[in-house]
């Protein structure tokens, strides 16, 4: 992992579905006084379709190309907090576009925690359609791990601590270039 820091840099939250990207991003942006952008919401407002509808009508390929277009539109901007979709890291081009101007923060949690979180809103996530157990979910997570690992500058576990602590850790890193000591 490289050590990409700097106060001007965007903060890009990556991680599996249900890792807390939108929740953490919203709060972090508020605390830092920055604009918050959720790439899935950008895609929805540009296309006039929900992510779910896009998958259903046009498939994942169309969604991935919209995701890349939305990412490209953000590359020239600074001081944003950006939340990505769980599969955003799968396309090298997305990472290549934002990495030079961002701190990439990988939010993690164990499969059981993620399973509990995502099952509540499973219908909004087309790729979870055939997932019925935390073991299946763990398999999917394992297949993506190397992408998150490769893209991320730092990783933060969201399963072990409060939203406040997660947000504080990222803000601290942005300012001091290291994570705070554990409590
Ligand atoms: C996806 C995650 C979703 C959304 C789409 C695909 C994925 O975002 O982008 O359904 O490939 O993991 P969240 O991670 O916000 O659920």
């Amino acid at each position: 992992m490289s050590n990409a820091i700097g106060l001007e840099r965007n903060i890009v939250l990556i991680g599996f579905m249900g890792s807390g990207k939108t929740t953490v991003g919203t709060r972090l942006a508020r605390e830092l006084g920055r604009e918050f952008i959720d790439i899935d919401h950008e895609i929805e407002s540009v296309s006039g379709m929900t992510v779910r509808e896009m998958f259903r009508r046009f498939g994942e390929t169309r969604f991935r190309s919209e995701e890349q277009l939305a990412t490209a539109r953000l590359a020239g901007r600074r001081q944003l907090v950006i939340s990505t979709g769980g599969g955003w890291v799968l396309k090298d081009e997305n990472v290549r576009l934002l990495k030079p101007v961002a701190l990439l923060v990988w939010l993690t949690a164990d499969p059981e925690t993620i399973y509990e979180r995502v099952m509540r809103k499973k219908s909004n996530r087309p790729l979870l359609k055939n997932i019925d157990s935390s073991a299946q979910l763990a398999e999917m997570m394992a297949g993506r791990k190397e992408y998150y690992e490769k893209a991320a500058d730092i990783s933060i576990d969201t399963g072990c601590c409060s939203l406040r602590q997660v947000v504080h850790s990222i803000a601290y890193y942005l300012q001091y270039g290291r994570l705070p000591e554990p409590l």
Side-chain angles (χ1 to χ4, degrees), residues 15-19 21-22 38-40 43 51-52 55 60 63-64 67 83-88 90 118 124-128 140 144 148:
F16 200 79
M17 291 171 260
S19 58
K21 302 176 299 279
T22 304
D38 183 313
I39 291 185
D40 281 353
I43 296 168
V51 168
R52 184 180 167 192
F55 267 79
E60 183 174 352
F63 173 77
R64 296 296 171 207
E67 193 174 41
S83 163
T84 63
W88 181 86
L90 302 176
V118 294
N124 290 342
R125 292 182 163 114
L127 295 179
L128 296 180
M140 189 176 173
R144 288 182 168 188
Y148 298 125

Side-chain angles (χ1 to χ4, degrees), residues 38-50:
D38 183 313
I39 291 185
D40 281 353
H41 293 167
E42 289 291 301
I43 296 168
E44 291 184 335
S45 72
V46 167
S47 67
M49 259 180 283
T50 62

